[in-house]
Amino acid sequence: MNDPRIRRIVIVGGGTAGWLAAALLAQALGPQVQIQLVESAEIGTVGVGEATIPQIRHINRFLGIDEDAMLRFAHGTYKLGVQLNDFTRLGDSYLHAFGDLGLPLGLTPFHHYWLRAVQERGHADTPDLWAYSLNAAAAAENRFAPLEKIPDSPLGGLRYAYHFDASRYAQYLRERIAPGSVQRTEGKVVDARLREGDGFIESLQLDSGELVEGDFFIDCSGFRGLLIEGALNTGYENWQQWLPCDRALAVGSAPGGPMRPYTQASARTAGWQWRIPLRHRTGNGHVYCSRFISDDEAAAQLLANLETEALGDPRPLRFVTGMRKLAWNRNCLALGLAAGFMEPLESTSIHLVQSGVSRLLAMFPDRRCDSALVDEYNRQTRFEYEHVRDFLILHYKATERTDTPFWQQCGAMEVPPSLARRVELFRRTAMVFREGDELFAETGWVQVLLGQRIAPQRHHPLADALTDAQLDGFLADIRTLIGRAKNTLPPHHKFVARAGGSLAA
Amino acid sequence: MTDPRIRNIVIVGGGTAGWMAAAAFAKVLDAGCSIRLVESEEIGTVGVGEGTVPHLKLFNNLLGIDDVEFVRNTQGTFKLGVQFNDWGRLGDSYVHGFGTIGHDVGLLPFHQYWIKARQAGKADEIGAYSLNTVAAPRGRFMPSASDAPPGSPLANVAYAYHFDAGRYARFLRGYAEQRGVRRTEGKVAQTVLRAADGFVEAIVLESGERIEGELFIDCSGFRGLLIEQALHTGYLDFSHWLPCDRALAVACEKVGPPTPYTRSSARPAGWQWRIPLQHRTGNGYVYSSAHVSDDEAATTLLGHLDGAPMGEPRLLRFTTGVRRQAWSRNVVALGLAGGFLEPLESTSIYMIQSGITRLLNLFPRHDFSPVLTERYNAQSRFEYEHIRDFLILHYHATERDDTPFWNQCRMMSIPPPLADNIRLFRDSGRFFRDGEEMFATPSWVQVMLGQRIAPKGYHPLVDQMPDAELAGFMASVSHVVASCVEVMPAHQAFIDRCCTAPAMVA
């Protein structure tokens, strides 16, 4: 009988997705599986300055990566959250900070206590919610250093991620992979051969004429989905009705200005603009909807909103938000942009690659690719994507802006029922429940819901169990502990200089 | 402006569900909220010896009740799991133990390595690799040892209790009354609905007393006095999958030391429980009346007691299923009023507990936002259906063909998500817990293996471990488990030392 085990995996595409997948698979599978990665230097990767979320630190631990060395190599800085500007009203600004908000008491999440204080005493007399987030307090003063927990208290410390140059990160991963465990082949795929009968991919034909055979194929070829779509015609589900932006222009700008330990996302007339601080430059990009603004106008807005001079011309990108109908089809798994695209408003791209690989490892098949595994993978992937999608839609939908046709349309659009239910629950009761293993936890949802001015009618009834004096004491204690802890943190740029060694202080 | 808060809660029914709810509300809600409980001594409660799952500890923690106090007051004993006899085949026996199996390696759960080793003839039964399943049949018990090194199975012993649910209710009654809950003796004669929206406005007792409330908790048992009789919520019947519809319960004299596990033995048309308490043993036969008469069932039950019966078996009738809405208008049904699933995995009290927690999480205000109710009902349905599927697994995955009852169970069609789980496990031993469903991977794995669903293959990553190392790994885990069990005291000795119930006036 033939050995049913998978012995050869072929990865197509060498961007962040491809190399991240290669590194994780090589580490997890060891020498029993041979991994081959096909990439072409001719095909550019999308890597611009990239922001991440804290889950990326799990990858680094798993791969045994030295954080300082990696960040030095990838020009990285630290990230405590995302600042969202002008989304709900022009002039608005709030932070979606990672990490805890205050401290829950018993069954009741913290924000209900804060909300009770606001509702009983008014906004003017109550510090805002972010006074209870150490991440927010540190971000406001551009401070950073790792802190596990606030000493002598029940409060958690800073939760952080990175900003870095994603193509340098990919290169770093590539160089760290154990020698021999991933074979890199330079070339362009010109054809995929399918097996008679079940339509599994059998081999790939490269432009050099070389034939690459494999048991399992991972499509990291980007938007076009060379295998998953080009060969297998899997189909794509379009989400533009909810997330209408379809183009981006990206450009680096010269270093200068404060080194913020957070990403900035600022709403524009027909989309939004990111700013990501790296060590050697700042990454910028304008994500917009081509139905509402021309490319020239979009470029002009982008360039007008740089803090320092542009380094070169903006590079255009086109995309369609949505997801592949099946991320795993037959013996082909799509990762990264080949699996779907959601704009980087909450920096989820790299995480979706990471979680796709973990899911694959959990469901690692043999050569038959049992449909029970494939179905389970696709079910979990859909769950993850749809919940991230809903979270992004919230940023657009919960707006009061009527100053441009784009924002008018966003405010008026009908949203998925899953999201409508959540917003309604929050509006009426301030309650948020994380669903299953969805990516963003309650604290993320609460900050964005409140930041986008969805005002709950009331707080949780159990928050009434404290007396007024107890409530004041509880809130004041948390603010004090956070204020003290924040003051012990050094400026972000100094910490980077110390840890990184490459930046003149 | 009127106070938008709920200030007035009425609980109808004083069994385990009623008093658990009263105690939790009294602890968590502010003192300004009035809590009343109406119960009648004439109406018996269903409380027989009751098994639980480890979650009950969390509930007791919330109330600030410690183990020793609890066990002493309820004639309680400790439970490491459930022993299933004669389920897969006549003569089979396995333990579904709480806690983990072996220890996981990297991304993979322990049982994946075990499957490969077992297929190569280099591993014992799965039960040899967890503390609970080894300790239980040997009658050993102790809770976590504070001085055990981290990672030792003794550092984290998962256990639950057997106890007298009637005594627990009485104990909680004392707790709740001390904290201001008012108890009223009486039977509900009438439920008054508000004309405008059909909310319950008040209940009227046989004495003529009218009790008004804003939130009503229906703990009136199977019949669902408020949720069904007044609000006609409807019931979703699961009995085509779980055909047992009656139980006969009887206590018997205690013979020998209490086992630290519940026993569940399959019978010709159902199964029999055995739950050891400190002073006696609870027994019951859960059966399908379509397949066996009450008399015959009683004979079977009495023929399998290990001590003399204490009185006549009591008959209970039920329909397995769930209330279409556990929360309807201003009524939340808890316990049997909310639904019934047979006690095969001791989930009844857990579901009361989780209903209370869910209600506290979604606690309403005066206007009863439908969004809260919808969420409550969706979560509650999710929980019921997943437990239901886990129970169906026990019946369906059998090779027994000796009675029409077992033939029917084996041949029946099952809910598609369960069919998928079985298929996936049979393929390569994989299981994925769905969201926050109650039973976690080790439970499903133990029961699937125990019911003879044999995985054909295993996770391909297991092959990374060299064969010699695999055999060593298996041996070291079972060795550690066995050595830990050696140092555990006998269950009876532990109870004697820590938590003997006070002598009772006969």
Side-chain angles (χ1 to χ4, degrees):
Chain A
M1 200 186 105
N2 279 344
D3 182 351
R5 285 180 290 186
I6 287 182
R7 291 299 181 194
R8 281 185 60 85
I9 296 179
V10 179
I11 299 173
V12 175
T16 320
W19 283 110
L20 184 54
L24 292 170
L25 290 172
Q27 174 79 17
L29 299 172
Q32 62 163 337
V33 179
Q34 199 195 339
I35 300 169
Q36 184 169 6
L37 187 146
V38 180
E39 67 174 332
S40 161
E42 278 178 53
I43 305 173
T45 57
V46 174
V48 280
E50 186 97 31
T52 57
I53 54 177
Q55 285 82 348
I56 192 169
R57 296 176 56 216
H58 299 310
I59 303 182
N60 292 342
R61 267 196 296 274
F62 180 68
L63 295 176
I65 286 177
D66 172 348
E67 189 171 87
D68 288 347
M70 182 278 286
L71 289 176
R72 231 177 1 253
F73 187 85
H75 311 298
T77 66
Y78 297 89
K79 173 180 171 186
L80 296 169
V82 189
Q83 185 187 62
L84 293 133
N85 300 315
D86 302 324
F87 272 80
T88 310
R89 293 181 191 167
L90 281 166
D92 274 4
S93 177
Y94 71 93
L95 192 72
H96 167 196
F98 305 134
D100 298 337
L101 286 176
L103 182 72
L105 286 183
L107 293 165
T108 311
F110 173 79
H111 70 275
H112 292 284
Y113 294 93
W114 168 79
L115 193 58
R116 175 181 153 198
V118 170
Q119 289 177 339
E120 290 174 0
R121 279 151 239 186
H123 268 286
D125 294 326
T126 316
D128 76 22
L129 181 67
W130 289 272
Y132 303 91
S133 155
L134 178 60
N135 272 50
E141 297 183 10
N142 294 331
R143 292 174 186 262
F144 179 82
L147 184 67
E148 245 339 276
K149 61 186 297 288
I150 297 183
D152 306 317
S153 86
L155 299 177
L158 287 177
R159 212 165 124 73
Y160 66 91
Y162 319 114
H163 302 116
F164 55 43
D165 177 332
S167 42
R168 295 279 289 179
Y169 180 61
Q171 194 186 335
Y172 187 81
L173 293 175
R174 187 174 98 194
E175 289 169 5
R176 284 197 53 85
I177 292 172
S181 61
V182 175
Q183 179 197 346
R184 178 182 177 281
T185 303
E186 168 75 30
K188 268 191 193 165
V189 175
V190 293
D191 190 26
R193 301 206 174 152
L194 306 186
R195 195 156 68 195
E196 298 272 326
D198 59 12
F200 275 40
I201 299 175
E202 223 167 33
S203 61
L204 305 178
Q205 165 107 52
L206 305 190
D207 53 353
S208 62
E210 189 187 341
L211 205 61
V212 178
E213 296 187 329
D215 302 321
F216 194 81
F217 292 82
I218 298 187
D219 185 347
C220 299
S221 66
F223 292 129
R224 63 217 168 105
L226 204 59
L227 307 183
I228 194 80
E229 199 57 56
L232 301 182
N233 301 307
T234 304
Y236 193 78
E237 191 173 300
N238 184 318
W239 289 342
Q240 282 177 315
Q241 74 209 84
W242 297 305
L243 295 170
C245 290
D246 57 353
R247 295 194 188 175
L249 285 163
V251 69
S253 61
M259 184 186 279
R260 300 180 183 93
Y262 53 91
T263 305
Q264 287 173 294
S266 305
R268 300 279 173 247
T269 59
W272 60 278
Q273 180 168 338
W274 77 74
R275 181 183 292 145
I276 294 176
L278 303 179
R279 296 187 185 198
H280 61 317
R281 58 174 168 80
T282 302
N284 309 271
H286 184 187
V287 174
Y288 58 96
C289 176
S290 64
R291 281 190 294 120
F292 291 93
I293 189 174
S294 69
D295 296 338
D296 287 348
E297 216 180 320
Q301 276 194 21
L302 170 64
L303 296 171
N305 286 292
L306 301 184
E307 282 183 313
T308 50
E309 78 184 279
L311 303 169
D313 285 328
R315 284 199 301 135
L317 306 163
R318 289 163 187 247
F319 49 82
V320 177
T321 47
M323 71 180 285
R324 203 67 62 192
K325 287 190 170 143
L326 305 170
W328 183 351
N329 189 2
R330 299 174 209 170
N331 63 339
C332 173
L333 181 85
L335 290 173
L337 302 178
F341 180 81
M342 285 187 272
E343 52 195 282
L345 184 55
E346 288 283 358
S347 318
T348 46
S349 315
I350 291 183
H351 177 76
L352 291 173
V353 175
Q354 165 185 358
S355 78
V357 176
S358 330
R359 199 150 46 235
L360 173 64
L361 288 170
M363 291 168 209
F364 202 79
D366 59 25
R367 283 173 19 206
R368 297 165 304 163
C369 291
D370 188 296
S371 62
L373 289 175
V374 178
D375 292 348
E376 179 67 20
Y377 182 96
N378 287 323
R379 190 185 67 74
Q380 292 186 14
T381 303
R382 176 164 291 273
F383 181 90
E384 179 171 49
Y385 270 71
E386 287 182 349
H387 281 79
V388 171
R389 174 199 70 191
D390 283 4
F391 191 58
L392 297 187
I393 296 172
L394 174 63
H395 296 67
Y396 287 102
K397 168 69 181 176
T399 186
E400 298 173 6
R401 286 185 62 164
T402 54
D403 55 311
T404 69
F406 173 81
W407 288 106
Q408 286 166 9
Q409 180 188 307
C410 291
M413 74 177 157
E414 197 164 312
V415 300
S418 45
L419 175 61
R421 270 200 307 275
R422 282 187 112 130
V423 172
E424 189 58 15
L425 181 66
F426 186 78
R427 195 190 298 283
R428 295 211 209 159
T429 68
M431 296 183 197
V432 178
F433 299 98
R434 184 180 198 166
E435 291 175 5
D437 291 329
E438 73 168 315
L439 177 57
F440 290 100
E442 284 92 343
T443 49
W445 281 92
V446 165
Q447 293 178 77
V448 174
L449 285 159
L450 288 170
Q452 302 271 150
R453 294 184 175 267
I454 295 186
Q457 287 162 7
R458 61 270 171 112
H459 55 273
H460 197 298
L462 296 195
D464 291 330
L466 296 186
T467 63
D468 286 354
Q470 284 172 329
L471 179 65
D472 287 339
F474 173 59
L475 295 177
D477 287 351
I478 294 175
R479 287 197 307 270
T480 307
L481 287 166
I482 285 178
R484 271 192 217 144
K486 176 259 296 169
N487 287 334
T488 65
L489 300 169
H492 181 213
H493 71 90
K494 286 206 171 140
F495 181 79
V496 167
R498 194 167 63 209
S502 67
L503 187 90
Chain B
M1 197 184 110
T2 53
D3 189 344
R5 291 179 294 174
I6 303 270
R7 301 279 80 188
N8 203 345
I9 301 177
V10 179
I11 300 170
V12 176
T16 322
W19 284 114
M20 281 177 75
F25 294 162
K27 168 76 182 180
V28 171
L29 297 176
D30 65 298
C33 184
S34 138
I35 303 164
R36 292 188 69 170
L37 185 146
V38 178
E39 67 172 333
S40 162
E41 275 169 7
E42 282 177 50
I43 305 174
T45 55
V46 173
V48 280
E50 196 78 56
T52 55
V53 289
H55 308 67
L56 186 63
K57 249 169 105 65
L58 297 175
F59 185 77
N60 286 338
N61 287 349
L62 174 73
L63 301 187
I65 299 170
D66 79 8
D67 258 11
V68 170
E69 186 185 11
F70 168 76
V71 169
R72 267 201 194 130
N73 277 286
T74 59
Q75 291 285 349
T77 65
F78 296 90
K79 172 178 175 186
L80 294 168
V82 184
Q83 183 185 61
F84 290 95
N85 295 329
D86 300 327
W87 281 82
R89 288 182 193 167
L90 279 165
D92 275 4
S93 177
Y94 70 94
V95 176
H96 165 200
F98 302 129
T100 54
I101 309 174
H103 67 86
D104 300 347
V105 181
L107 289 164
L108 299 185
F110 175 84
H111 75 270
Q112 284 293 346
Y113 293 91
W114 174 84
I115 294 170
K116 180 178 183 187
R118 182 75 175 166
Q119 284 173 355
K122 289 179 185 148
D124 284 332
E125 284 179 38
I126 191 76
Y129 301 90
S130 33
L131 186 76
N132 287 42
T133 45
V134 174
R138 295 190 52 195
R140 304 290 183 103
F141 177 78
M142 66 187 258
S144 308
S146 51
D147 56 349
S152 157
L154 288 176
N156 200 358
V157 182
Y159 65 91
Y161 318 97
H162 304 114
F163 63 96
D164 179 336
R167 284 173 200 276
Y168 185 46
R170 245 171 288 154
F171 177 71
L172 292 178
R173 175 178 161 186
Y175 178 98
E177 286 183 327
Q178 247 174 39
R179 285 166 180 75
V181 174
R182 276 193 298 154
R183 174 185 180 278
T184 303
E185 168 72 31
K187 270 191 188 165
V188 177
Q190 194 199 339
T191 307
V192 184
L193 303 187
R194 205 149 70 187
D197 53 14
F199 276 45
V200 175
E201 191 173 82
I203 50 173
V204 181
L205 305 188
E206 282 179 349
S207 64
E209 186 184 358
R210 180 184 157 97
I211 299 178
E212 296 193 346
E214 293 160 303
L215 172 64
F216 289 84
I217 311 294
D218 187 346
C219 300
S220 64
F222 290 130
R223 64 217 168 108
L225 205 58
L226 305 184
I227 195 81
E228 196 57 52
Q229 294 184 9
L231 299 186
H232 309 292
T233 306
Y235 194 77
L236 195 64
D237 187 333
F238 294 153
S239 54
H240 49 299
W241 288 309
L242 293 168
C244 291
D245 57 353
R246 295 193 188 173
L248 283 163
V250 70
C252 72
E253 280 169 11
K254 180 182 165 189
V255 177
T259 54
Y261 57 89
T262 302
R263 184 179 294 152
S264 158
S265 307
R267 300 278 176 247
W271 60 279
Q272 179 168 340
W273 78 74
R274 179 185 175 282
I275 294 177
L277 303 181
Q278 287 190 29
H279 59 318
R280 57 177 170 77
T281 303
N283 307 273
Y285 182 15
V286 175
Y287 58 96
S288 157
S289 65
H291 294 93
V292 70
S293 71
D294 296 339
D295 286 350
E296 220 178 314
T299 310
T300 303
L301 170 65
L302 295 169
H304 291 93
L305 302 184
D306 45 21
M310 302 162 73
E312 287 296 304
R314 285 199 300 140
L315 180 68
L316 306 165
R317 292 160 192 262
F318 48 82
T319 306
T320 298
V322 63
R323 201 68 61 194
R324 282 185 191 276
Q325 296 175 316
W327 180 351
S328 171
R329 300 179 205 167
N330 60 338
V331 175
V332 179
L334 292 175
L336 302 177
F340 180 82
L341 293 171
E342 56 191 273
L344 185 56
E345 287 284 359
S346 316
T347 46
S348 317
I349 289 185
Y350 169 75
M351 287 188 293
I352 297 170
Q353 169 184 351
S354 90
I356 292 170
T357 317
R358 189 151 47 236
L359 176 57
L360 288 172
N361 274 327
L362 290 162
F363 205 78
R365 290 186 187 271
H366 224 241
D367 61 348
F368 283 89
S369 271
V371 286
L372 297 176
T373 313
E374 281 161 23
R375 182 62 68 119
Y376 184 97
N377 288 328
Q379 289 181 359
S380 170
R381 177 67 69 87
F382 179 91
E383 179 168 279
Y384 260 85
E385 289 182 349
H386 283 78
I387 294 174
R388 174 199 72 193
D389 286 1
F390 188 57
L391 299 187
I392 295 172
L393 171 67
H394 296 67
Y395 285 101
H396 179 67
T398 183
E399 295 175 8
R400 285 186 62 161
D401 55 4
D402 54 313
T403 69
F405 173 83
W406 288 106
N407 281 333
Q408 178 185 319
C409 292
R410 206 183 64 247
M411 308 293 285
M412 72 182 164
S413 73
I414 56 174
L418 174 60
D420 288 347
N421 279 346
I422 293 177
R423 202 159 67 87
L424 197 53
F425 191 78
R426 207 187 288 284
D427 173 73
S428 49
R430 275 176 266 206
F431 175 79
F432 300 95
R433 184 182 194 173
D434 188 9
E436 296 179 28
E437 73 167 307
M438 185 197 162
F439 287 101
T441 303
S443 294
W444 279 88
V445 167
Q446 292 179 78
V447 173
M448 289 205 267
L449 291 172
Q451 301 282 145
R452 294 182 174 269
I453 300 176
K456 290 199 285 261
Y458 52 85
H459 196 299
L461 293 189
V462 168
D463 287 327
Q464 273 183 69
M465 187 183 282
D467 288 352
E469 199 181 310
L470 178 65
F473 174 49
M474 288 294 130
S476 79
V477 171
S478 61
H479 175 73
V480 168
V481 166
S483 337
C484 287
V485 170
E486 278 315 313
V487 306
M488 292 173 82
H491 183 210
Q492 181 72 62
F494 180 79
I495 292 173
D496 291 345
R497 199 159 71 223
C498 293
C499 22
T500 310
M504 277 167 303
V505 181

